Amino acid sequence: MPLDQHSDEGDDALMAAFAAGDAAAARALTLRWTPRVLAQAWRMLGDRAEAEDVAQEAMLRLWKVAPDWRPGEAQVSTWLYRVVANLCTDRLRRRKHRAGPGLDDVPEPRDDTPGAEARLQRDARHAALSAALAELPERQRQAVVLRHLENLGNPEIAGIMDISPRAVESLTARGKRALAALLGRHKDALGYDDDDT
Amino acid sequence: MTTPDRDDSFLDGYFAAARDGAPEPSPDLLARVLADAGAEQARQAAGTRDAAHRPGLWATMLAALGGWPALGGLATAGVAGLWLGISPPVALDDSLATLRAMAGVEDTATGLWGESTDALTLFGLDALGEG
């Protein structure tokens, strides 16, 4: 027996069913979208607990908008990208005013197990990237995140941000230059190689 | 003299670090999201909605009254009574009860947003009583 009977339905139909009180639609939407919003929030924030909070809040907003959802007007994916990005931006701004991992923090490796150093380097870079993203102007941050963390193409990013693809390119280029300036110090401090994959 | 742009190809390693290893939602997170869904569906079924997440509430009320142009015509139909909570038109009764419940407004001397509901002033109808 399938976990939900709506597994093949489109989002518009699921949203309508949700608004009509259908519990199976609620399950289907939960299973379909929670993983994606969690992953998106995690990529931006680098912190699992915060990413879970954002994911739960983003899904709560989806539930609240369901009665007003108009078929064909928007895509759930686009709508959620914007909501998650905004929620993450709020979190990043709050971090700036709190003590926490930042660009100048260099973690000391304590684990000698195989692969630990690579994981630590990955986690350190992720934390540094999140901190650097927090310093960017909002639209540059959004463009860079959608392009390089979410791997979306320029036309899709243009649709989400409601700007032209050319504007997306410009924002992405400027955002990357700003990130390079911010993270250059971090890279040098940790002494990482440029060409590792 | 200008400084050449720094090579930013090293950023690829940072982006890869952010993309790598995204977590799957725990059963606990899924349960919380689903619980929120059920609670919101129950709230929506009961007809009460969180005013903060309902954009255009004011616009909705105005539309129910027939928009700004209709307000003048409604004056004689007792719109002042409407806003003072004395005798709302039957069609709006449910909406008003819902809105008041949401805003916790018991005292009809102030409106949903704490503003004065001296409707005569609010809608510029105070001039009607003059002359």
Side-chain angles (χ1 to χ4, degrees):
Chain A
M1 189 173 185
L3 202 56
D4 61 84
Q5 67 205 46
H6 291 283
S7 50
D8 293 329
E9 284 187 34
D11 289 320
D12 283 345
L14 286 175
M15 291 291 273
F18 179 95
D22 187 335
R27 277 197 301 280
L29 286 164
T30 295
L31 292 172
R32 181 180 293 184
W33 290 107
T34 306
R36 291 176 63 163
V37 297
L38 176 67
Q40 185 192 348
W42 186 85
R43 283 188 280 269
M44 256 189 99
L45 298 174
D47 180 296
R48 178 164 190 152
E50 285 202 280
E52 289 200 351
D53 287 347
V54 166
Q56 187 175 359
E57 177 63 30
M59 293 304 289
L60 180 60
R61 294 190 186 194
L62 186 67
W63 306 145
K64 289 184 182 292
V65 86
D68 299 320
W69 193 261
R70 301 282 171 261
E73 267 188 14
Q75 291 187 357
V76 171
S77 60
T78 303
W79 193 87
L80 282 174
Y81 268 127
R82 289 178 183 150
V83 168
V84 171
N86 287 336
L87 290 171
C88 287
T89 291
D90 291 344
R91 295 261 166 177
L92 290 175
R93 280 194 192 129
R94 274 185 251 160
R95 279 188 193 174
K96 285 168 71 172
H97 301 291
R98 271 203 327 251
L103 288 165
D104 297 322
D105 293 336
V106 181
E108 296 288 329
R110 284 183 226 119
D111 191 343
D112 289 332
T113 60
E117 189 176 336
R119 272 199 309 279
L120 282 166
Q121 181 189 90
R122 184 194 71 187
D123 292 347
R125 284 182 165 187
H126 196 169
L129 178 64
S130 293
L133 284 170
E135 301 294 327
L136 258 54
E138 171 150 1
R139 279 148 55 86
Q140 288 182 24
R141 172 174 53 247
Q142 283 220 19
V144 168
V145 164
L146 292 173
R147 179 73 188 84
H148 292 289
L149 298 192
E150 300 305 312
N151 270 337
L152 301 182
N154 282 350
E156 198 173 351
I157 299 172
I160 292 168
M161 293 185 66
D162 203 19
I163 57 179
S164 70
R166 205 165 154 196
V168 172
E169 280 181 38
S170 170
L171 286 168
T172 310
R174 282 188 274 150
K176 284 183 71 176
R177 273 200 297 277
L179 284 178
L182 289 162
L183 289 168
R185 293 193 325 257
H186 181 266
K187 174 183 76 93
D188 292 342
L190 269 72
Y192 293 143
D193 293 328
D194 286 358
D195 58 349
D196 59 347
T197 46
Chain B
M1 175 150 49
T2 58
T3 333
D5 274 350
R6 194 190 180 102
D7 176 19
D8 61 14
S9 60
F10 76 93
L11 287 177
D12 294 341
Y14 285 83
F15 294 140
R19 289 192 305 263
D20 187 27
E24 289 290 325
S26 60
D28 179 62
L29 174 62
L30 290 171
R32 280 184 273 138
V33 169
L34 202 51
D36 286 345
E40 186 57 26
Q41 282 178 313
R43 201 172 6 252
Q44 289 168 13
T48 59
R49 309 247 290 270
D50 182 345
H53 290 272
R54 181 85 164 101
L57 191 60
W58 187 251
T60 303
M61 277 304 301
L62 274 182
L65 288 170
W68 287 108
L71 286 178
L74 282 174
T76 55
V79 67
L82 170 78
W83 284 102
L84 291 170
I86 297 170
S87 54
V90 171
L92 291 177
D93 218 7
D94 286 344
S95 310
L96 282 179
T98 301
L99 292 170
R100 283 211 197 87
M102 278 193 296
V105 172
E106 302 299 329
D107 177 7
T108 52
T110 54
L112 297 169
W113 317 113
E115 83 285 17
S116 160
T117 50
D118 182 345
L120 301 179
T121 307
L122 195 62
F123 293 111
L125 300 172
D126 47 335
L128 293 173
E130 296 168 11

